[in-house]
Amino acid sequence: MNLAIDVASGEKPLEELVLGAVNALAENNDINLILVGNEKSITKVLSKAKYDHKRVDIRHTDEIIDMNESPANGIKHKKNASVLMAARLVKDKEADGFFSPGNTGATLAAALTEIGRLKGVMRPPLISTLPKFGGEFCMLDMGANVDCTPDYMVQFAVMGRVFAKRYLKIENPRVGLLNIGEEDSKGNADTKKIFERLQKMKKINFIGNIEPNDMLKSDCVDVVVADGFDGNIVLKTIEGTAALVVNMLKAEVKKNPVSVMGGLMMKPVFTNLKSKMSSDSYGSAILLGLNGGAFVGHGKTSGVGMKNAVLNMYRFLDAKINEKIAKELYDSGAKRRIF
Amino acid sequence: MNLAIDVASGEKPLEELVLGAVNALAENNDINLILVGNEKSITKVLSKAKYDHKRVDIRHTDEIIDMNESPANGIKHKKNASVLMAARLVKDKEADGFFSPGNTGATLAAALTEIGRLKGVMRPPLISTLPKFGGEFCMLDMGANVDCTPDYMVQFAVMGRVFAKRYLKIENPRVGLLNIGEEDSKGNADTKKIFERLQKMKKINFIGNIEPNDMLKSDCVDVVVADGFDGNIVLKTIEGTAALVVNMLKAEVKKNPVSVMGGLMMKPVFTNLKSKMSSDSYGSAILLGLNGGAFVGHGKTSGVGMKNAVLNMYRFLDAKINEKIAKELYDSGAKRRIF
């Protein structure tokens, strides 16, 4: 399997990202990499690394779309931007999927314009796994589509179900609708309409409304459907709260010598927790419903995050999720894109 | 100041709630209580407590609106429900404000039907303080109005500003709009409209869009404006994430003896953190913009939570926030209710 990696547009140095990606090779023999970025810099980093040279290719570019640049502008004017080149490798069937830790809007735009949607898919949603106590669940849309119709969201439910079955290996995934109360009648005008529609979908194990506190605290749902605005709000609130709790703990620990000692003894605990909650573990989101794999990383993706991202790309693509989505959308009776 | 307290409809036993409320009396000599619930049970609890008998009154009722009952139904058919009786004491000017830790929908409905809105107020929003690193900020609407127009939300901004000035003692509060990106152009169709409207409000220190991770991690905003659906999603995500982090820590600690010991040494740290993050500290939300004080507690409100709620009611009512809101709404140029 060939994976295209934009190593040029993350916040971390190219060296860290290249080494992270190459580290994944030792853990999975089926992966080959195409690294996109400045060839000279990449070659220099690779010269210090141990790996099978036949498994890594480089595509040179010096153009990147900046974190703060308008995605539309970047996509239009920088035809050789690293993220666009990576996406184009998927379009041209040289790679099975691409990953970028750069400007999220630009990554989504590159995926949509270069790779394109599967037959029938209206709006590709971003899906991500999230931690819950004792496991993980998935949620979509995490931010690709901020204004959603009920039709889009019914499609999200179908796509999320395929993802949970094939990626999380859950036999009959429980699908819930993100809401502020669990009773059927709860929510705003939009969620009420979507609730009604989801209830009519016979091929989906729809368990009703799910509150965000319940989905994080307990094992009550496998797939949470939300519009891209609310999904992104939830994602960023989780990130902010986890950081707040950890910062508060650190500040409290410093207040007296006994807890300083206690904190030192608990260091492995904090490290472990940090890795479980960090975007390097759960942060790579996948744009579902395209004619190839598109993977969106956090700007802060580290070397470890890059390695995990590469391994997760393989896990996703190997499960043939997009291939299955086209068929399931058809079978489900969901309204499909016909133009 | 007279405060009406519904001690009958929380999840915790009446005894704990009564004692919690009475404990507040020792900390503030200006407070008198009117406890609403079963007279015999309340009298029995009070007989064991030490307090100034002249400062506590009882109103008997055996009717309560259950946690899982439809608020509309309860309000319509149970005229002597504890929450309605408590709200009626405010309407009849026997109390300055009321608090209920019961069914949230019923508490909101009781406040609206019995106490009524201030002149000009369209939709009273729920406001609450939330923890951020090194302080607190406030957010509204936390869930009273799930479908909001830009007009409502402009009013929320004005009301939130008054609250932050008088309750949090912030001279020129920074007002932000909850959104998924900080750039002016970010958000969905609704937030874009609201952004434009807020930018035109000259009397408000509007600092633009605020992402939930930033508002929790850093000191960047004092008042966050959101519709009731998103505000409630944020509140419940914070609650769920904090619980998840603490549960994960506990599970990790148990994995080896050194960290068990470390955990014991850090116990005061965890207790302190728990109290900072718990709904007993930040959980009592206030319905702004009424002709009296209406305070909504978490169903799980404990004795300590009840004591804090009573003291916070005084803090709010003493600051004359609702009185100021009517004038500020007029001065701000925000569209007002005219019918």
Side-chain angles (χ1 to χ4, degrees), chain B residues 143-183:
Chain B
N145 309 283
V146 292
D147 291 296
C148 288
T149 69
D151 286 333
Y152 302 170
M153 289 181 67
V154 166
Q155 286 207 340
F156 296 170
V158 176
M159 292 190 246
R161 178 184 145 82
V162 175
F163 181 87
K165 278 183 83 160
R166 305 202 138 213
Y167 192 82
L168 299 178
K169 310 281 181 205
I170 297 164
E171 184 47 37
N172 188 23
R174 295 160 295 177
V175 178
L177 176 64
L178 182 78
N179 210 327
I180 59 171
E182 55 181 9
E183 301 87 350

Side-chain angles (χ1 to χ4, degrees), chain A residues 133 146-147 180 188-189 211-213 217 230 236-237 239 244 248 252-253 261 265-266 272-273 276, chain B residues 133 146-147 180 188-189 211-213 217 230 232 236-237 239 244 252-253 261 265-266 272-273 276:
Chain A
F133 190 59
V146 292
D147 291 295
I180 59 171
N188 58 20
E211 295 179 271
N213 43 349
K217 281 193 294 193
D230 293 320
K236 286 175 172 156
T237 306
E239 188 192 321
L244 175 68
M248 278 179 161
E252 289 290 333
V253 162
M261 181 64 79
M265 292 164 85
M266 280 182 68
N272 215 334
L273 178 75
K276 272 190 187 162
Chain B
F133 190 58
V146 292
D147 291 296
I180 59 171
N188 58 19
E211 295 179 271
N213 42 350
K217 280 192 292 195
D230 293 320
N232 202 268
K236 286 176 173 156
T237 306
E239 188 193 319
L244 175 67
E252 288 291 333
V253 162
M261 181 62 80
M265 292 165 85
M266 280 183 67
N272 216 335
L273 178 75
K276 273 190 187 163

Side-chain angles (χ1 to χ4, degrees), chain B residues 4-145:
Chain B
I5 311 291
D6 168 11
V7 291
S9 55
E11 287 172 19
K12 299 282 176 180
L14 177 134
E15 174 167 11
E16 181 174 346
L17 298 178
V18 168
L19 291 177
V22 170
N23 277 339
L25 296 178
E27 297 196 17
N28 187 324
N29 287 323
D30 281 347
I31 296 175
N32 300 315
L33 297 174
I34 309 175
L35 305 177
V36 182
N38 181 281
E39 186 165 16
K40 223 167 151 182
S41 308
I42 296 173
T43 308
K44 197 175 150 199
V45 175
L46 287 177
S47 69
K48 290 181 283 184
K50 268 195 186 168
Y51 67 98
D52 179 353
H53 289 229
K54 290 192 300 290
R55 293 171 65 191
V56 180
D57 205 352
I58 303 172
R59 292 302 151 92
H60 173 76
T61 182
D62 273 331
E63 232 170 5
I64 59 164
I65 297 176
D66 208 71
M67 282 296 177
N68 302 314
E69 206 168 334
S70 142
N73 224 37
I75 294 290
K76 198 170 164 194
H77 297 295
K78 295 183 169 174
K79 289 295 168 203
N80 290 319
S82 54
V83 64
L84 268 174
M85 281 185 62
R88 217 170 286 138
L89 287 167
V90 181
K91 177 191 186 181
D92 297 340
K93 306 288 174 202
E94 292 190 62
D96 301 282
F98 84 100
F99 172 85
S100 174
N103 184 317
T104 300
T107 309
L108 298 178
L112 286 170
T113 55
E114 296 295 329
I115 306 179
R117 292 172 288 178
L118 285 169
K119 201 179 161 188
V121 168
M122 290 171 165
R123 291 288 184 281
L126 263 181
I127 194 165
S128 174
T129 56
L130 288 172
K132 69 182 171 194
F133 190 58
E136 53 183 3
F137 66 104
C138 63
M139 186 161 164
L140 75 172
D141 176 9
M142 296 303 248
N145 309 283

Side-chain angles (χ1 to χ4, degrees), chain A residues 250-292:
Chain A
K250 280 185 188 162
E252 289 290 333
V253 162
K254 284 184 193 144
K255 283 187 185 163
N256 83 67
V258 176
S259 53
V260 168
M261 181 64 79
L264 286 173
M265 292 164 85
M266 280 182 68
K267 208 159 185 187
V269 169
F270 289 125
T271 310
N272 215 334
L273 178 75
K274 206 178 156 189
S275 108
K276 272 190 187 162
M277 296 297 295
S278 104
S279 59
D280 275 346
S281 310
Y282 74 81
S284 147
I286 303 162
L287 195 62
L288 286 182
L290 299 179
N291 291 307

Side-chain angles (χ1 to χ4, degrees), chain A residues 137-187:
Chain A
F137 66 103
C138 64
M139 185 161 163
L140 75 171
D141 176 12
M142 295 304 246
N145 309 283
V146 292
D147 291 295
C148 289
T149 68
D151 285 335
Y152 302 170
M153 289 182 67
V154 166
Q155 286 206 341
F156 296 169
V158 176
M159 292 190 246
R161 178 184 145 82
V162 175
F163 182 88
K165 278 183 83 160
R166 304 203 138 210
Y167 192 82
L168 300 177
K169 310 281 181 204
I170 296 164
E171 184 48 37
N172 188 21
R174 295 161 293 178
V175 177
L177 176 64
L178 182 77
N179 210 328
I180 59 171
E182 56 181 9
E183 302 87 351
D184 290 3
S185 61
K186 278 291 168 89

